[in-house]
Amino acid sequence: MEDQVSKLIRQRDRVLALAAVSFLFWQGAQLAENIVEEGGWDLGPYELVVQLLLVAGALGWAGASFLFLLYANRVRRSDTQSVIQDELFCHNQRLAIRCGFVALIGATSVLLAADLFIGFSATIALRALLIIGITAPLVTFLILGRDKLEDDA
């Protein structure tokens, strides 16, 4: 059973990593488009790269959502949820949410200060905050969970 739990934890971490990277690509590409559009610039040869990142990120996010549903079904069938969501999991989850909150407050402060020197739309600010608010807790949770996996190996 311990091997099955470790396998499910690794699978969860892979899905979360895919979700974090995909969301970063998807929303980051849209943020780049917003910045370029607002600045009146032209992406030129990089427009294809931005579009590919946007499509790959959106498809990756949708794929990660689907894979997470499959993962949840596997956990339910194996009846290992109480083992997977142990005290360390809950502790790491709380720390990740706290870190995401601090990152979000820090980014908000930086954007408010930046607004004093350069003008930008609320769309750019909100998209940047959205990226930080989603990816910071996911990445933090993955980093905290990695320490446990290295200890088990």
Side-chain angles (χ1 to χ4, degrees):
M1 175 146 145
E2 187 174 318
D3 189 43
Q4 183 181 18
V5 169
S6 295
K7 183 179 175 184
L8 286 169
I9 289 173
R10 282 192 304 275
Q11 183 181 10
R12 177 197 65 207
D13 289 348
R14 285 188 203 117
V15 171
L16 289 176
L18 173 64
V21 170
S22 297
F23 191 81
L24 184 61
F25 284 178
W26 175 35
Q27 292 299 313
Q30 287 190 329
L31 178 63
E33 285 181 339
N34 292 142
I35 291 171
V36 167
E37 181 181 309
E38 188 171 301
W41 303 311
D42 183 27
L43 280 173
Y46 299 109
E47 187 167 352
L48 180 62
V49 173
V50 170
Q51 290 300 315
L52 288 174
L53 284 174
L54 190 140
V55 170
L59 291 175
W61 180 257
S65 299
F66 177 73
L67 289 173
F68 197 74
L69 290 175
L70 291 177
Y71 166 77
N73 190 35
R74 286 187 184 131
V75 170
R76 185 185 51 78
R77 278 186 305 172
S78 66
D79 201 29
T80 57
Q81 184 170 358
S82 61
V83 177
I84 291 173
Q85 291 185 343
D86 60 357
E87 290 178 31
L88 180 61
F89 171 87
C90 293
H91 175 73
N92 288 346
Q93 188 179 38
R94 283 191 302 272
L95 282 176
I97 290 171
R98 190 176 303 143
C99 180
F101 178 74
V102 169
L104 204 51
I105 295 300
T108 303
S109 301
V110 168
L111 286 171
L112 284 172
D115 189 45
L116 297 173
F117 301 106
I118 56 173
F120 50 86
S121 68
T123 302
I124 290 174
L126 290 174
R127 193 171 307 277
L129 292 174
L130 181 69
I131 291 168
I132 291 167
I134 298 293
T135 56
L138 286 174
V139 170
T140 303
F141 183 79
L142 290 170
I143 290 169
L144 291 171
R146 222 175 135 188
D147 294 339
K148 184 190 182 312
L149 286 177
E150 288 174 359
D151 291 343
D152 289 346

